Amino acid sequence: MVADLLRLKLLLLRNSLRRSTGQLIGVILGGLYGLGLLGVLVVGLVLLGTAELELIRTILVIGGSATVLGWIIIPIAATGIDMTLDPARFVTFAIPMRQLLAGLVLGGILGIPGVVTLIASLTQVITWIRYPAAALTALVCGLLAVLLCVVASRLVTTAVSSMTGSRRFKDVNGIVAFIPLIFLGPIIGGVTAGFQSSPGFARSLADILAWTPLGALWAAPADVAAGEPGAALLKFLIGAATLVLFLVLWSRSLTHALVTPPYNAVSKRAGGNLGWFARFPATPAGAVAARALTYWLRDPRYSASLVVIPFVAVLLYFSGGGSGTAFAFLGPLTAFLLAWSISADISYDNTAFSLHVSTGVSGRDDRLGRAAALLVFALPITLVFTVGPLLITGRTEDLPVMVGLSIGLLLTGAGLSSIVSARYTYNVPLPGESAFKTPPGTNFTMFAVQFIGWFVMLLLALPEIVLTVAYFVTGQSLYGWLTVLVGFALGGVLLVVGIRTGGRWYDRRAPELLLAVSANR
Amino acid sequence: MSSLVPSPTDENNPQTRTGTAALSIRGLAKRFGEKIAVNGISLDVPPGSFYGLVGPNGAGKTTTLSMATGLLRPDFGSVTVHGVDVWGQPLEAKKLMGILPDGVRLFDRLTGEQLVTYAGLLRGMDRETVIERTGDLLRALDLTNDAGTLVVDYSAGMTKKIALASALIHAPRLLVLDEPFESVDPVSAANIRDILAGYVRSGGSVIVSSHVMDLVQRMCDHVAVIAAGTVLAAGTVDEVRGDATLEDRFVELVGGRSTSEGLSWLRTS
């Protein structure tokens, strides 16, 4: 039975690769990335063996704890990261729990992250080769730690997926769980700063982690090497007990999940509230704008980017150390990000886009509506984010140039996005999926479109950028006012051109666009 | 209930040409890679007819209807709706058609009411008419109590019904419905049949794909049997079925019925 589950996993992988070459390239790239990472890890771990005991211990404990933590956190942030062996699919088969658990654990290891973790923890044995007893302990503890990683991650997935019965929970979770990841950079920065400021910091961090379930199994070999078998045994017991506890909890929640099909509690609601549809003009373009704006607020894939924006502000504020140089560019950066955010609009519609094709909406109306929905909130946000930082840091004399640059970028970008989304589609998270899930396959197209698109956007906004540079170099306010003028005028013209050109392309290619987005579902 | 869908011959439909077929398909063909999905299909849906399109799974029904409605560009062939070329003058042709596609998503983060309103406004209708007709359609399809629920939270049958309402809102002269009764409960299905029958009586034309033979035999006056991308038989239901039931005739045409020799182990007694 266990072997059957493993074979099933491999078969699913092979068949998914056979479906598209794009996916194959994705897996190969992922494999190469994993291989590279693994190479660095293995070489590092082998070299580490020549270091002194204290350093080996500190690095292994902190690195190991981070690995376990990663296995726990990542599945929450990216809901359904690897659900090829989703327990819910085994509901109708009478598989004994013990065998199902074993199969799911081994199936969890069988994947790029699992294999990398496994090989890295086995390499630990070589790290400890100077201390034979420690090496033996490292072999046992390393294997247990890998099991702990997989079981902990599966436990979290099962627990979360039984909670995610309701769509609302799924929507909110997809966004909220990502917030800590945004701050991962600053957190890592803080920890690194801690390492640099005091050499004892890492050691005391490792000392604490060594007594937690996260680091206990990684610390046990070090205690053996240091000649403290008692402490080693205790840590081994902590790790083993955690593993057993997690297994029991997982088996329980799995048993529960298998007899409790997901149920979506929905309260009936009568109509009468047309929302934005009552507020926008009753024209095709107005309807598209109302629909798009509704989606900005209601579809987590869109609202996630709105939630992220305030955090960008916080990040920029702190990254400049309060000096305000980086913070002052919050407005242009926000404008840039927001303007580009509608560049994959039709990909996000997925096959719902067929309504636009079947009702025969003209390309101009479609483009205009989507751009209008964006500008309705992007203009005020950009203005606030441009003016606010300058007021806070007391640089009001820079107002004209920054407003000009921001507005120029926003309008130019909205125009460019109107063209891009009518021409290029690529795989994006499907409706209802987490906003941060990276869909497999055709990632190359996505990166190409993104990078070339950004480059073109900067090229189109070059007049504003040059004027801004001129302003800061010469300090003459004339350049500032020129930036405002060019930002509004050139940006406005490019927006109109973008909507027109995008509209013409849309009219010519609407059925092909629909066919392209149908491929991803 | 039959007065509910506005008459298709009212002033909202500017192109009133007589004598031409409601839907005329000529030599339509489409291939996806190696597979030929539709291999030269020609059909005529007479005005005022209730036309059934039946065929086994994978026969090319959905592909044919997608090409006939301007959703999928055909490799060969032409389609006209009341004399308007669908691929030559798509905007004019789409005004005449109401389309219920199968297997596509809806804008499901809208409420049911918003979705139908959206479909109406996209067609360029004025707000008062859209609001009035949306209310009528939701009532007729028994969705009034869920009008404010998000479509993503609808059951499969309710989703089908709200998609049907979106296809009816502009009072088209031709309705193209791909599997309209799939997962719809019997009461709602009967309501939908009444609405469609009233629509046909008032001069509209319907083409509907299905694999429920019984339903097609009772409901439609014309039928075409397609399999493997070609038309096996087409005409009035009586012409096609002859003396047999439509189901028997269908099985006879399509073949593939296996004799009941196998699976002897499945017998429990």
Side-chain angles (χ1 to χ4, degrees):
Chain A
M1 179 54 65
V2 176
D4 284 336
L5 284 173
L6 290 184
R7 219 170 296 134
L8 173 66
K9 165 121 190 181
L10 285 177
L11 196 65
L12 284 170
L13 184 68
R14 208 180 69 199
N15 287 352
S16 72
L17 294 184
R18 212 183 277 166
R19 250 186 90 203
S20 79
T21 33
Q23 209 147 16
L24 185 65
I25 295 171
V27 170
I28 291 175
L29 287 182
L32 283 179
Y33 178 75
L35 216 60
L37 190 69
L38 186 63
V40 173
L41 272 176
V42 167
V43 171
L45 283 170
V46 170
L47 290 181
L48 189 61
T50 58
E52 56 181 292
L53 180 59
E54 191 60 46
L55 185 65
I56 302 181
R57 183 183 110 97
T58 308
I59 289 180
L60 282 185
V61 169
I62 293 178
S65 306
T67 310
V68 180
L69 203 62
W71 275 85
I72 296 175
I73 288 176
I74 290 170
I76 310 178
T79 335
I81 189 163
D82 174 22
M83 291 306 267
T84 38
L85 288 188
D86 183 1
R89 296 186 188 175
F90 298 106
V91 168
T92 52
F93 299 99
I95 305 173
M97 182 53 73
R98 209 171 273 272
Q99 294 180 2
L100 183 61
L101 286 184
L104 289 179
V105 169
L106 292 180
I109 297 177
L110 214 64
I112 293 167
V115 169
V116 169
T117 312
L118 180 67
I119 293 182
S121 63
L122 287 180
T123 314
Q124 242 199 126
V125 177
I126 304 179
T127 314
W128 289 113
I129 206 76
R130 281 190 297 155
Y131 310 88
L136 195 65
T137 322
L139 178 65
V140 177
C141 288
L143 288 178
L144 283 183
V146 175
L147 284 183
L148 181 67
C149 285
V150 177
V151 171
S153 117
R154 289 281 146 178
L155 169 65
V156 167
T157 326
T158 315
V160 168
S161 74
S162 52
M163 266 190 287
T164 51
S166 86
R167 175 191 50 78
R168 207 170 283 273
F169 178 87
K170 229 186 257 173
D171 287 359
V172 174
N173 175 55
I175 300 171
V176 172
F178 194 70
I179 291 171
L181 293 189
I182 300 174
F183 287 108
L184 206 58
I187 291 171
I188 291 176
V191 173
T192 322
F195 283 140
Q196 283 163 350
S197 62
S198 70
F201 178 75
R203 252 176 64 189
S204 37
L205 181 67
D207 281 342
I208 298 167
L209 285 174
W211 289 104
T212 66
L214 292 180
L217 283 172
W218 306 102
D223 287 341
V224 171
E228 296 172 32
L233 185 66
L234 222 58
K235 281 170 186 161
F236 175 79
L237 285 180
I238 291 178
T242 313
L243 180 60
V244 171
L245 180 73
F246 279 12
L247 262 176
V248 170
L249 284 179
W250 180 37
S251 146
R252 276 221 194 128
S253 63
L254 199 56
T255 317
H256 179 72
L258 287 182
V259 294
T260 323
Y263 174 70
N264 192 2
V266 179
S267 54
K268 286 190 167 198
R269 224 177 291 165
N273 181 11
L274 282 176
W276 295 108
F277 287 95
R279 270 161 237 157
F280 275 88
T283 59
V288 173
R291 200 276 304 166
L293 197 57
T294 311
Y295 263 56
W296 273 101
L297 300 173
R298 230 184 247 161
D299 186 331
R301 296 172 304 157
Y302 283 99
S303 42
S305 37
L306 288 185
V307 171
V308 166
I309 283 171
F311 292 105
V312 173
V314 176
L315 278 185
L316 277 187
Y317 182 74
F318 284 109
S319 69
S323 73
T325 321
F327 193 41
F329 281 89
L330 177 62
L333 185 66
T334 310
F336 184 90
L337 292 177
L338 281 176
W340 187 252
S341 63
I342 56 166
S343 66
D345 238 22
I346 291 182
S347 303
Y348 276 109
D349 287 353
N350 203 262
T351 49
F353 178 60
S354 67
L355 185 66
H356 285 215
V357 184
S358 68
T359 50
V361 183
S362 76
R364 198 195 64 95
D365 285 341
D366 178 283
R367 304 289 91 197
L368 183 62
R370 292 173 196 267
L374 172 76
L375 292 179
V376 160
F377 66 86
L379 268 179
I381 288 182
T382 303
L383 280 178
V384 168
F385 275 23
T386 307
V387 176
L390 294 180
L391 289 182
I392 290 170
T393 52
R395 295 167 54 164
T396 40
E397 72 279 3
D398 294 341
L399 266 177
V401 70
M402 295 315 273
V403 168
L405 183 62
S406 299
I407 297 297
L409 276 174
L410 182 64
L411 297 180
T412 308
L416 180 67
S417 294
S418 298
I419 296 181
V420 170
S421 87
R423 180 64 190 79
Y424 301 101
T425 58
Y426 43 82
N427 288 2
V428 297
L430 295 175
E433 281 183 349
S434 163
F436 304 103
K437 184 175 176 188
T438 338
T442 59
N443 278 331
F444 177 71
T445 333
M446 187 181 85
F447 285 123
V449 172
Q450 298 258 359
F451 282 113
I452 295 172
W454 289 351
F455 182 72
V456 172
M457 202 202 291
L458 292 178
L459 212 60
L460 290 175
L462 205 57
E464 289 96 317
I465 294 171
V466 169
L467 283 172
T468 308
V469 172
Y471 169 83
F472 279 113
V473 170
T474 63
Q476 284 180 1
S477 62
L478 171 69
Y479 288 115
W481 292 108
L482 273 178
T483 316
V484 178
L485 193 69
V486 172
F488 276 92
L490 183 65
V493 168
L494 287 176
L495 177 62
V496 173
V497 169
I499 289 173
R500 289 233 174 120
T501 315
R504 266 200 303 280
W505 276 3
Y506 173 103
D507 286 335
R508 248 194 335 260
R509 298 188 68 255
E512 279 70 26
L513 281 172
L514 179 60
L515 188 65
V517 293
S518 311
N520 173 31
R521 57 171 167 175
Chain B
M1 190 152 292
S2 59
S3 64
L4 185 114
V5 175
S7 162
T9 46
D10 69 9
E11 71 281 0
N12 272 326
N13 294 300
Q15 268 134 342
T16 329
R17 298 179 200 183
T18 46
T20 52
L23 175 69
S24 171
I25 297 175
R26 285 286 164 272
L28 220 47
K30 181 79 190 177
R31 79 189 292 162
F32 295 109
E34 304 262 293
K35 188 178 182 294
I36 296 174
V38 173
N39 191 7
I41 283 189
S42 300
L43 287 176
D44 275 305
V45 177
S49 68
F50 205 135
Y51 204 105
L53 189 62
V54 298
N57 298 330
K61 299 188 294 287
T62 297
T63 311
T64 305
L65 292 182
S66 299
M67 289 191 288
T69 50
L71 295 181
L72 178 69
R73 202 182 295 277
D75 293 339
F76 300 101
S78 64
V79 187
T80 57
V81 175
H82 288 285
V84 183
D85 185 351
V86 171
W87 289 97
Q89 301 163 273
L91 296 189
E92 288 76 6
K94 283 169 184 172
K95 281 191 187 126
L96 301 173
M97 284 187 285
I99 304 160
L100 171 72
D102 185 39
V104 301
R105 291 168 193 275
L106 302 173
F107 283 107
D108 55 13
R109 301 277 158 164
L110 301 180
T111 65
E113 188 181 29
Q114 284 178 327
L115 182 64
V116 181
T117 307
Y118 186 41
L121 293 176
L122 283 183
R123 298 268 186 187
M125 298 163 64
D126 65 85
R127 199 193 300 272
E128 286 68 37
T129 318
V130 170
I131 289 177
E132 188 194 324
R133 289 187 184 178
T134 302
D136 288 346
L137 284 165
L138 291 175
R139 232 181 339 273
L141 292 166
D142 193 25
L143 288 171
T144 311
N145 288 334
D146 288 296
T149 310
L150 296 194
V151 174
V152 68
D153 292 330
Y154 275 13
S155 71
M158 289 159 75
T159 309
K160 211 58 163 183
K161 290 196 282 182
I162 206 75
L164 180 65
S166 311
L168 292 174
I169 182 102
H170 62 297
R173 293 185 63 196
L174 169 71
L175 269 177
V176 182
L177 311 177
D178 198 355
E179 299 285 358
F181 298 106
E182 209 177 39
S183 60
V184 172
D185 68 85
V187 177
S188 299
N191 287 347
I192 295 174
R193 276 206 308 279
D194 284 348
I195 294 172
L196 294 180
Y199 170 80
V200 170
R201 265 200 305 280
S202 69
S205 324
V206 179
I207 177 165
V208 43
S209 83
S210 179
H211 29 233
V212 186
M213 295 303 140
D214 194 37
L215 198 77
V216 172
Q217 184 177 341
R218 267 190 295 145
M219 199 172 63
C220 300
D221 43 44
H222 287 66
V223 68
V225 180
I226 68 172
T230 49
V231 179
L232 297 181
T236 64
V237 173
D238 290 338
E239 278 169 16
V240 171
R241 75 186 171 105
D243 298 330
T245 64
L246 187 60
E247 178 152 355
D248 290 343
R249 180 74 181 124
F250 176 83
V251 171
E252 190 187 316
L253 280 169
V254 173
R257 187 84 172 78
S258 59
T259 43
S260 52
E261 299 274 307
L263 303 190
S264 56
W265 47 265
L266 193 55
R267 285 165 207 148
T268 48
S269 58

